[in-house]
Amino acid sequence: MSDFIFSVNVTFPIFLVMVIGWVLHQIGMLDEHFVTVANRFNFKVTLPFMLFRDIASVEISKVFDLKFVLYCAIVSSICFWGIWGISKFAVKDDSIRGAFVQSSFRSSAAVMGMAFINNIYGSSAMGPLMIVGAVPLYNVYSVIVLTFEAQDEQGKRDKGKIKQALVNIVKNPIIDSIFLGLIVSLLGIHFPTIVNKTINSVAQLATPLALIVIGAGFEGRKAIAKIKPTCWAAAIKLVIQPLVFLPVAAYMGFSGEKIIAILIMLASPTTPSCYIMAKSMKNDGVLTASVIVATTLFAAFTLTFWIFLLRTFGLI
């Protein structure tokens, strides 16, 4: 019961903030123009600030574990390419494939993941280290699939996309901020207090604003029409990925903080930044928002189960 209450306390406030965004939209306080502008602001400003802060603040050179980072990177890659490959046959609607793949494999490592890890272990170096191994790939792979599966205004798919994908990766502010954070961390650069407080103030806007915008942009009737892909994406995100790769992590000797970080990478809810990137890159925002809402709602139960299982086997 304590594990369930703990999970509820982490996931349900996030879900309720999305509900607030939806209510504010229903009463007319937030309109479509706000959602569009706030999405752009989140994508280009607040999320990059948050990821830069999280990575730059950790002395990666002192806590670096190559085996752990490689595991996170390789498993993230297997999940992405595997889901995309299967979706080519399983997802018949081309217009939702990019959103389906991104929301199925990409976890809320930075937003909800750090909350879980810190609640269990307090300050932990393994969370940021997992972010180093997985989050850059999350963003690179998301740009790739959203570029190749994007729809133009006529619903036709542009086939000449390799160059465009490379350009999108280089220009992606989230990817750029991650690598800037890595450089600052590895070089041991320390900013003055006034700079740190400014970065932190902007970074703190990322999560609540993203959740408000997801709620405000959530289209319930359209989401219900896409309930089947939503359920499949949620099942992949919360159940299938950890079911396959947690035993591998245990076999490789990961436990404690490391296996909790791996659990978050595999089984935490779909990150709110998926919605921002999907909308920004002409992919299905309705399906993405639906998966984020579903995974956030059910994660309290599934994460509790996985934590219970890890405790039962003495891994945490």
mmCIF file of all heavy atoms in Angstrom, residues 3 120-121 242 246-247 249-250 254-256 258-264 303-316:
data_model
loop_
_atom_site.group_PDB
_atom_site.id
_atom_site.type_symbol
_atom_site.label_atom_id
_atom_site.label_comp_id
_atom_site.label_asym_id
_atom_site.label_seq_id
_atom_site.Cartn_x
_atom_site.Cartn_y
_atom_site.Cartn_z
ATOM 1 N N ASP A 3 3.783 1.625 -1.348
ATOM 2 C CA ASP A 3 4.304 1.810 -2.703
ATOM 3 C C ASP A 3 3.244 2.425 -3.611
ATOM 4 O O ASP A 3 3.537 3.297 -4.438
ATOM 5 C CB ASP A 3 4.752 0.469 -3.297
ATOM 6 C CG ASP A 3 6.039 -0.038 -2.670
ATOM 7 O OD1 ASP A 3 6.781 0.792 -2.118
ATOM 8 O OD2 ASP A 3 6.278 -1.252 -2.720
ATOM 9 N N ILE A 120 12.852 8.118 -3.894
ATOM 10 C CA ILE A 120 13.309 6.831 -3.352
ATOM 11 C C ILE A 120 14.688 6.949 -2.718
ATOM 12 O O ILE A 120 14.937 6.454 -1.617
ATOM 13 C CB ILE A 120 13.328 5.765 -4.464
ATOM 14 C CG1 ILE A 120 11.911 5.504 -4.972
ATOM 15 C CG2 ILE A 120 13.927 4.450 -3.950
ATOM 16 C CD1 ILE A 120 11.847 4.573 -6.176
ATOM 17 N N TYR A 121 15.614 7.629 -3.405
ATOM 18 C CA TYR A 121 17.004 7.638 -2.958
ATOM 19 C C TYR A 121 17.523 9.010 -2.543
ATOM 20 O O TYR A 121 18.687 9.134 -2.171
ATOM 21 C CB TYR A 121 17.907 7.099 -4.080
ATOM 22 C CG TYR A 121 17.776 5.609 -4.268
ATOM 23 C CD1 TYR A 121 17.042 5.090 -5.328
ATOM 24 C CD2 TYR A 121 18.357 4.721 -3.378
ATOM 25 C CE1 TYR A 121 16.901 3.724 -5.501
ATOM 26 C CE2 TYR A 121 18.225 3.353 -3.541
ATOM 27 C CZ TYR A 121 17.502 2.860 -4.601
ATOM 28 O OH TYR A 121 17.371 1.506 -4.769
ATOM 29 N N PRO A 242 9.330 -2.786 -20.023
ATOM 30 C CA PRO A 242 9.963 -3.281 -18.787
ATOM 31 C C PRO A 242 9.925 -4.802 -18.670
ATOM 32 O O PRO A 242 10.845 -5.407 -18.112
ATOM 33 C CB PRO A 242 9.145 -2.613 -17.672
ATOM 34 C CG PRO A 242 7.853 -2.209 -18.314
ATOM 35 C CD PRO A 242 8.200 -1.885 -19.735
ATOM 36 N N LEU A 246 13.794 -5.333 -18.131
ATOM 37 C CA LEU A 246 14.182 -5.365 -16.715
ATOM 38 C C LEU A 246 14.897 -6.661 -16.337
ATOM 39 O O LEU A 246 15.904 -6.622 -15.609
ATOM 40 C CB LEU A 246 12.963 -5.143 -15.822
ATOM 41 C CG LEU A 246 12.545 -3.693 -15.562
ATOM 42 C CD1 LEU A 246 11.316 -3.655 -14.650
ATOM 43 C CD2 LEU A 246 13.676 -2.876 -14.939
ATOM 44 N N PRO A 247 14.423 -7.834 -16.797
ATOM 45 C CA PRO A 247 15.174 -9.064 -16.503
ATOM 46 C C PRO A 247 16.600 -9.033 -17.055
ATOM 47 O O PRO A 247 17.528 -9.559 -16.424
ATOM 48 C CB PRO A 247 14.337 -10.153 -17.194
ATOM 49 C CG PRO A 247 12.956 -9.608 -17.235
ATOM 50 C CD PRO A 247 13.135 -8.132 -17.469
ATOM 51 N N ALA A 249 18.428 -6.323 -17.375
ATOM 52 C CA ALA A 249 19.177 -5.441 -16.479
ATOM 53 C C ALA A 249 19.575 -6.170 -15.204
ATOM 54 O O ALA A 249 20.706 -6.037 -14.718
ATOM 55 C CB ALA A 249 18.341 -4.206 -16.136
ATOM 56 N N ALA A 250 18.636 -6.949 -14.650
ATOM 57 C CA ALA A 250 18.945 -7.717 -13.434
ATOM 58 C C ALA A 250 20.032 -8.753 -13.715
ATOM 59 O O ALA A 250 20.948 -8.940 -12.898
ATOM 60 C CB ALA A 250 17.682 -8.403 -12.925
ATOM 61 N N PHE A 254 22.643 -4.991 -12.516
ATOM 62 C CA PHE A 254 22.195 -3.671 -12.085
ATOM 63 C C PHE A 254 21.197 -3.808 -10.939
ATOM 64 O O PHE A 254 20.303 -4.658 -10.965
ATOM 65 C CB PHE A 254 21.546 -2.915 -13.240
ATOM 66 C CG PHE A 254 22.479 -2.598 -14.364
ATOM 67 C CD1 PHE A 254 22.220 -3.034 -15.657
ATOM 68 C CD2 PHE A 254 23.631 -1.847 -14.141
ATOM 69 C CE1 PHE A 254 23.076 -2.744 -16.698
ATOM 70 C CE2 PHE A 254 24.498 -1.542 -15.178
ATOM 71 C CZ PHE A 254 24.237 -1.995 -16.456
ATOM 72 N N SER A 255 21.343 -2.968 -9.927
ATOM 73 C CA SER A 255 20.424 -2.973 -8.785
ATOM 74 C C SER A 255 20.408 -1.583 -8.164
ATOM 75 O O SER A 255 21.122 -0.679 -8.615
ATOM 76 C CB SER A 255 20.856 -4.016 -7.749
ATOM 77 O OG SER A 255 22.148 -3.714 -7.256
ATOM 78 N N GLY A 256 19.592 -1.415 -7.122
ATOM 79 C CA GLY A 256 19.556 -0.139 -6.404
ATOM 80 C C GLY A 256 19.200 1.025 -7.300
ATOM 81 O O GLY A 256 18.255 0.959 -8.097
ATOM 82 N N LYS A 258 20.572 2.187 -9.879
ATOM 83 C CA LYS A 258 20.712 1.953 -11.319
ATOM 84 C C LYS A 258 19.475 1.275 -11.896
ATOM 85 O O LYS A 258 18.973 1.670 -12.955
ATOM 86 C CB LYS A 258 21.962 1.125 -11.602
ATOM 87 C CG LYS A 258 23.255 1.883 -11.329
ATOM 88 C CD LYS A 258 24.483 1.038 -11.630
ATOM 89 C CE LYS A 258 25.751 1.822 -11.316
ATOM 90 N NZ LYS A 258 26.975 1.012 -11.551
ATOM 91 N N ILE A 259 18.961 0.277 -11.219
ATOM 92 C CA ILE A 259 17.806 -0.422 -11.793
ATOM 93 C C ILE A 259 16.533 0.423 -11.665
ATOM 94 O O ILE A 259 15.630 0.313 -12.495
ATOM 95 C CB ILE A 259 17.629 -1.827 -11.170
ATOM 96 C CG1 ILE A 259 16.837 -2.710 -12.149
ATOM 97 C CG2 ILE A 259 16.905 -1.758 -9.812
ATOM 98 C CD1 ILE A 259 16.958 -4.184 -11.899
ATOM 99 N N ILE A 260 16.471 1.289 -10.663
ATOM 100 C CA ILE A 260 15.345 2.228 -10.584
ATOM 101 C C ILE A 260 15.408 3.208 -11.750
ATOM 102 O O ILE A 260 14.393 3.516 -12.390
ATOM 103 C CB ILE A 260 15.341 2.975 -9.237
ATOM 104 C CG1 ILE A 260 14.841 2.067 -8.127
ATOM 105 C CG2 ILE A 260 14.469 4.224 -9.308
ATOM 106 C CD1 ILE A 260 13.375 1.666 -8.251
ATOM 107 N N ALA A 261 16.605 3.709 -12.066
ATOM 108 C CA ALA A 261 16.767 4.616 -13.210
ATOM 109 C C ALA A 261 16.392 3.910 -14.504
ATOM 110 O O ALA A 261 15.750 4.489 -15.396
ATOM 111 C CB ALA A 261 18.199 5.134 -13.280
ATOM 112 N N ILE A 262 16.759 2.627 -14.627
ATOM 113 C CA ILE A 262 16.398 1.840 -15.807
ATOM 114 C C ILE A 262 14.884 1.639 -15.871
ATOM 115 O O ILE A 262 14.272 1.723 -16.947
ATOM 116 C CB ILE A 262 17.141 0.490 -15.797
ATOM 117 C CG1 ILE A 262 18.637 0.708 -16.059
ATOM 118 C CG2 ILE A 262 16.555 -0.466 -16.831
ATOM 119 C CD1 ILE A 262 19.497 -0.506 -15.792
ATOM 120 N N LEU A 263 14.265 1.373 -14.723
ATOM 121 C CA LEU A 263 12.807 1.234 -14.671
ATOM 122 C C LEU A 263 12.130 2.510 -15.172
ATOM 123 O O LEU A 263 11.177 2.451 -15.961
ATOM 124 C CB LEU A 263 12.359 0.932 -13.236
ATOM 125 C CG LEU A 263 10.838 0.968 -12.985
ATOM 126 C CD1 LEU A 263 10.127 -0.113 -13.784
ATOM 127 C CD2 LEU A 263 10.540 0.832 -11.494
ATOM 128 N N ILE A 264 12.624 3.659 -14.732
ATOM 129 C CA ILE A 264 12.057 4.934 -15.160
ATOM 130 C C ILE A 264 12.228 5.100 -16.665
ATOM 131 O O ILE A 264 11.313 5.544 -17.373
ATOM 132 C CB ILE A 264 12.721 6.105 -14.405
ATOM 133 C CG1 ILE A 264 12.409 6.033 -12.910
ATOM 134 C CG2 ILE A 264 12.302 7.438 -14.995
ATOM 135 C CD1 ILE A 264 10.946 5.980 -12.579
ATOM 136 N N LEU A 303 3.785 1.237 -12.268
ATOM 137 C CA LEU A 303 5.068 1.477 -11.596
ATOM 138 C C LEU A 303 5.081 0.864 -10.202
ATOM 139 O O LEU A 303 6.102 0.350 -9.748
ATOM 140 C CB LEU A 303 5.371 2.977 -11.529
ATOM 141 C CG LEU A 303 5.956 3.596 -12.805
ATOM 142 C CD1 LEU A 303 6.038 5.108 -12.664
ATOM 143 C CD2 LEU A 303 7.329 3.020 -13.128
ATOM 144 N N THR A 304 3.943 0.915 -9.519
ATOM 145 C CA THR A 304 3.838 0.276 -8.204
ATOM 146 C C THR A 304 4.107 -1.224 -8.325
ATOM 147 O O THR A 304 4.830 -1.813 -7.512
ATOM 148 C CB THR A 304 2.439 0.502 -7.601
ATOM 149 O OG1 THR A 304 2.216 1.896 -7.460
ATOM 150 C CG2 THR A 304 2.325 -0.157 -6.240
ATOM 151 N N PHE A 305 3.534 -1.836 -9.346
ATOM 152 C CA PHE A 305 3.761 -3.271 -9.574
ATOM 153 C C PHE A 305 5.231 -3.565 -9.834
ATOM 154 O O PHE A 305 5.793 -4.505 -9.247
ATOM 155 C CB PHE A 305 2.916 -3.744 -10.761
ATOM 156 C CG PHE A 305 3.273 -5.129 -11.217
ATOM 157 C CD1 PHE A 305 2.857 -6.241 -10.497
ATOM 158 C CD2 PHE A 305 4.046 -5.313 -12.363
ATOM 159 C CE1 PHE A 305 3.193 -7.527 -10.919
ATOM 160 C CE2 PHE A 305 4.390 -6.593 -12.785
ATOM 161 C CZ PHE A 305 3.955 -7.702 -12.059
ATOM 162 N N TRP A 306 5.878 -2.772 -10.687
ATOM 163 C CA TRP A 306 7.286 -3.024 -10.998
ATOM 164 C C TRP A 306 8.180 -2.795 -9.783
ATOM 165 O O TRP A 306 9.126 -3.559 -9.548
ATOM 166 C CB TRP A 306 7.735 -2.146 -12.168
ATOM 167 C CG TRP A 306 7.092 -2.485 -13.474
ATOM 168 C CD1 TRP A 306 6.297 -1.680 -14.249
ATOM 169 C CD2 TRP A 306 7.162 -3.744 -14.164
ATOM 170 N NE1 TRP A 306 5.857 -2.346 -15.364
ATOM 171 C CE2 TRP A 306 6.386 -3.615 -15.351
ATOM 172 C CE3 TRP A 306 7.790 -4.953 -13.904
ATOM 173 C CZ2 TRP A 306 6.237 -4.652 -16.257
ATOM 174 C CZ3 TRP A 306 7.650 -5.996 -14.822
ATOM 175 C CH2 TRP A 306 6.887 -5.844 -15.972
ATOM 176 N N ILE A 307 7.886 -1.748 -8.993
ATOM 177 C CA ILE A 307 8.672 -1.497 -7.777
ATOM 178 C C ILE A 307 8.498 -2.650 -6.792
ATOM 179 O O ILE A 307 9.468 -3.118 -6.172
ATOM 180 C CB ILE A 307 8.259 -0.149 -7.142
ATOM 181 C CG1 ILE A 307 8.723 1.017 -8.030
ATOM 182 C CG2 ILE A 307 8.848 -0.005 -5.743
ATOM 183 C CD1 ILE A 307 8.161 2.362 -7.607
ATOM 184 N N PHE A 308 7.260 -3.125 -6.638
ATOM 185 C CA PHE A 308 6.996 -4.273 -5.768
ATOM 186 C C PHE A 308 7.785 -5.501 -6.237
ATOM 187 O O PHE A 308 8.383 -6.228 -5.433
ATOM 188 C CB PHE A 308 5.493 -4.580 -5.754
ATOM 189 C CG PHE A 308 5.142 -5.854 -5.043
ATOM 190 C CD1 PHE A 308 5.121 -5.918 -3.654
ATOM 191 C CD2 PHE A 308 4.847 -7.014 -5.771
ATOM 192 C CE1 PHE A 308 4.800 -7.100 -3.001
ATOM 193 C CE2 PHE A 308 4.523 -8.200 -5.126
ATOM 194 C CZ PHE A 308 4.510 -8.242 -3.726
ATOM 195 N N LEU A 309 7.804 -5.728 -7.537
ATOM 196 C CA LEU A 309 8.518 -6.877 -8.084
ATOM 197 C C LEU A 309 10.027 -6.752 -7.839
ATOM 198 O O LEU A 309 10.678 -7.731 -7.441
ATOM 199 C CB LEU A 309 8.226 -6.971 -9.589
ATOM 200 C CG LEU A 309 8.291 -8.363 -10.220
ATOM 201 C CD1 LEU A 309 7.253 -9.272 -9.591
ATOM 202 C CD2 LEU A 309 8.063 -8.254 -11.733
ATOM 203 N N LEU A 310 10.568 -5.566 -8.054
ATOM 204 C CA LEU A 310 12.009 -5.361 -7.834
ATOM 205 C C LEU A 310 12.366 -5.549 -6.360
ATOM 206 O O LEU A 310 13.421 -6.124 -6.013
ATOM 207 C CB LEU A 310 12.427 -3.972 -8.313
ATOM 208 C CG LEU A 310 12.369 -3.723 -9.822
ATOM 209 C CD1 LEU A 310 12.694 -2.273 -10.133
ATOM 210 C CD2 LEU A 310 13.328 -4.649 -10.558
ATOM 211 N N ARG A 311 11.471 -5.097 -5.458
ATOM 212 C CA ARG A 311 11.721 -5.299 -4.018
ATOM 213 C C ARG A 311 11.619 -6.782 -3.649
ATOM 214 O O ARG A 311 12.401 -7.282 -2.828
ATOM 215 C CB ARG A 311 10.703 -4.502 -3.195
ATOM 216 C CG ARG A 311 10.992 -3.021 -3.145
ATOM 217 C CD ARG A 311 10.091 -2.318 -2.144
ATOM 218 N NE ARG A 311 10.449 -0.923 -1.967
ATOM 219 C CZ ARG A 311 9.870 -0.110 -1.114
ATOM 220 N NH1 ARG A 311 8.876 -0.548 -0.338
ATOM 221 N NH2 ARG A 311 10.256 1.142 -1.017
ATOM 222 N N THR A 312 10.665 -7.473 -4.256
ATOM 223 C CA THR A 312 10.484 -8.891 -3.965
ATOM 224 C C THR A 312 11.747 -9.689 -4.315
ATOM 225 O O THR A 312 12.141 -10.609 -3.586
ATOM 226 C CB THR A 312 9.292 -9.452 -4.768
ATOM 227 O OG1 THR A 312 8.110 -8.748 -4.382
ATOM 228 C CG2 THR A 312 9.105 -10.944 -4.483
ATOM 229 N N PHE A 313 12.400 -9.313 -5.410
ATOM 230 C CA PHE A 313 13.603 -10.020 -5.849
ATOM 231 C C PHE A 313 14.882 -9.425 -5.246
ATOM 232 O O PHE A 313 15.994 -9.823 -5.617
ATOM 233 C CB PHE A 313 13.696 -10.001 -7.382
ATOM 234 C CG PHE A 313 12.754 -10.972 -8.036
ATOM 235 C CD1 PHE A 313 11.515 -10.559 -8.499
ATOM 236 C CD2 PHE A 313 13.092 -12.304 -8.186
ATOM 237 C CE1 PHE A 313 10.631 -11.454 -9.099
ATOM 238 C CE2 PHE A 313 12.226 -13.219 -8.769
ATOM 239 C CZ PHE A 313 10.995 -12.781 -9.234
ATOM 240 N N GLY A 314 14.727 -8.478 -4.318
ATOM 241 C CA GLY A 314 15.876 -7.926 -3.597
ATOM 242 C C GLY A 314 16.772 -7.044 -4.438
ATOM 243 O O GLY A 314 17.949 -6.847 -4.101
ATOM 244 N N LEU A 315 16.201 -6.443 -5.481
ATOM 245 C CA LEU A 315 17.012 -5.587 -6.370
ATOM 246 C C LEU A 315 17.023 -4.134 -5.906
ATOM 247 O O LEU A 315 17.872 -3.356 -6.344
ATOM 248 C CB LEU A 315 16.493 -5.688 -7.796
ATOM 249 C CG LEU A 315 16.665 -7.079 -8.436
ATOM 250 C CD1 LEU A 315 15.881 -7.160 -9.744
ATOM 251 C CD2 LEU A 315 18.146 -7.370 -8.681
ATOM 252 N N ILE A 316 16.062 -3.753 -5.060
ATOM 253 C CA ILE A 316 16.067 -2.409 -4.479
ATOM 254 C C ILE A 316 15.734 -2.518 -2.980
ATOM 255 O O ILE A 316 15.168 -3.515 -2.543
ATOM 256 C CB ILE A 316 15.055 -1.460 -5.170
ATOM 257 C CG1 ILE A 316 13.625 -2.009 -5.095
ATOM 258 C CG2 ILE A 316 15.467 -1.205 -6.587
ATOM 259 C CD1 ILE A 316 12.582 -1.039 -5.645
#
